[in-house]
Amino acid sequence: MADAATVSRFGQFGTRSKHIAAGDCVIAYSGPQNMTFITVKAGAVFANSYGRYPHDSIIGVEWGSKHPSATGRGFIHLLWPTPELWTLSLPHRTQILYTPDISFITSFLDLRPGVKMIEAGTGSGSFSHAIARTIAPTGHLYTFEYNADRYEKALVEFQEHGLTELVTLEHRDVCSDGFEQRDLVDAVFLDLPSPWEALEAAKQTFKKHKTGKICCFSPCVEQVLRTTAELQKQGFVEIKMFEVLVRSYDSRKTEVRPLPTRADEEQRRHDIGNKKRKEREAAASSSASDAANPAKKVATEDGSVKVELAEEKVDEAAAAPASVNVSQPQEVRTVREFTGLKPPREATGHTSYLTFATLLPQIYRGSDGEKINDESA
Ligand SMILES: C[S@@+](CC[C@H](N)C(=O)[O-])C[C@H]1O[C@@H](n2cnc3c(N)ncnc32)[C@H](O)[C@@H]1O
């Protein structure tokens, strides 16, 4: 416990270089649903279903390049790791927050450069990476994780990604042991199974002379009810709950065939008429030998026997005059291609409910800086 580790500013994710170097975290991008990260190491090899990519061939390559596999048959794009790409490629140790929820929370918690905030639990560090960028360069994120293995792994990631000056990760059970921070933060984010158990302690961490914001992320509505009851008990106001649902669209190339012209239509009627006439002639010659029987038995492909009346009803199309001039010069009309939008068959569904609340200043100061009341006393 209290095994605190302060791990540099928005490190590799924030420092732009032109070329990839050993030690860099690179997003190996093969498509929107197909990306993973590589930590570049001399002598190592990255392989995916499109081929093998020796890290030595990646070192010194420009960020964003389309990079061929060893055989030249496959390729990947070598992308700079933004928090959004990291979220889509990170190793999952838990359920994680995705960009739609993260951006909503960022807005409603009023997160920006300079903000100090608390997060619990750290989980897979998806939210932590996004917030580190938002609050950089002068803010700070205090994040807590009680699972030892997840704590260790998150610590290594924060160090490798150079987040040491922005993020403090602590191995701690915040529900039983609370937080040591006092009168320090602007915002709190709780992604815990029972956030209501940490609310009283979380309240102590807010700056006393400023308005604070809190958000609890819970998948079930029963959790929301317990959280809102406790928020009220702790004196939070403006309690609101939201669910962020996303509908994405794929852009697809589609072919559009031109509408038929009058000449096309005449040609079609003419072809049908010819076909029907030939069928009638064929039927007439075979029925001459079977004149006594007006009905004809025809064997069908599936082996059954179909009875056809000798006298057919004449199709309207068949009545089209055979003299229609169909050899008029045709206007040259090409199939056009255009890019359209299509929603996916299955839209991404519920992730969690976001419960927000506000904590009003507990200490109001007069214009001379003198305390005029202390609600927290
Ligand atoms: C769903 S995950 C958080 C995922 C994270 N928001 C992300 O985007 O990657 C919840 C984490 O909270 C941790 N946790 C649960 N109860 C805790 C507690 N009382 N104190 C600290 N961490 C806790 C769990 O171990 C788990 O790693």
Side-chain angles (χ1 to χ4, degrees), residues 95-284:
Q95 291 279 353
I96 64 160
L97 264 80
Y98 290 92
T99 302
D101 281 315
I102 295 173
S103 40
F104 196 86
I105 295 164
T106 301
S107 165
F108 274 68
L109 290 185
D110 199 12
L111 304 182
R112 58 206 136 84
V115 158
K116 291 189 170 62
M117 80 173 290
I118 276 177
E119 173 199 24
T122 314
S124 308
S126 171
F127 185 77
S128 322
H129 277 76
I131 297 314
R133 180 185 59 186
T134 303
I135 62 174
T138 50
H140 203 87
L141 173 68
Y142 301 88
T143 181
F144 298 87
E145 174 56 57
Y146 78 172
N147 176 287
D149 186 50
R150 290 180 203 145
Y151 161 78
E152 296 290 345
K153 292 202 162 102
L155 189 58
V156 170
E157 272 171 12
F158 293 153
Q159 284 167 338
E160 280 181 355
H161 298 161
L163 300 178
T164 51
E165 286 175 40
L166 288 170
V167 179
T168 301
L169 170 64
E170 195 169 325
H171 181 215
R172 189 182 188 90
D173 181 335
V174 300
C175 291
S176 60
D177 303 337
F179 305 90
E180 284 178 0
Q181 291 72 16
R182 292 280 178 278
D183 191 10
L184 182 71
V185 303
D186 308 278
V188 171
F189 174 68
L190 301 178
D191 180 0
L192 299 169
S194 48
W196 54 89
E197 290 177 2
L199 287 179
E200 191 176 352
K203 187 178 167 186
Q204 311 302 318
T205 67
F206 282 101
K207 288 176 181 163
K208 290 193 186 311
H209 62 288
K210 282 199 161 170
T211 298
K213 305 268 186 188
I214 190 163
C215 173
C216 300
F217 186 85
S218 301
C220 305
V221 82
E222 290 77 7
Q223 293 167 300
V224 175
L225 294 176
R226 293 190 72 168
T227 302
T228 49
E230 187 62 23
L231 283 167
Q232 274 178 321
K233 189 173 156 203
Q234 294 300 328
F236 286 86
V237 296
E238 291 187 315
I239 301 171
K240 293 177 185 160
M241 193 272 275
F242 299 87
E243 183 185 15
V244 178
L245 295 175
V246 177
R247 191 174 190 209
S248 58
Y249 285 80
D250 292 337
S251 75
R252 294 255 169 84
K253 281 219 161 82
T254 313
E255 285 186 349
V256 193
R257 299 195 172 278
L259 288 172
T261 61
R262 200 190 139 108
D264 292 334
E265 187 54 24
E266 284 171 350
Q267 176 72 59
R268 190 183 71 82
R269 286 164 66 86
H270 174 75
D271 292 345
I272 292 173
N274 270 349
K275 192 171 161 226
K276 293 278 177 189
R277 211 170 0 264
K278 280 184 188 147
E279 280 171 7
R280 273 202 310 278
E281 283 163 16

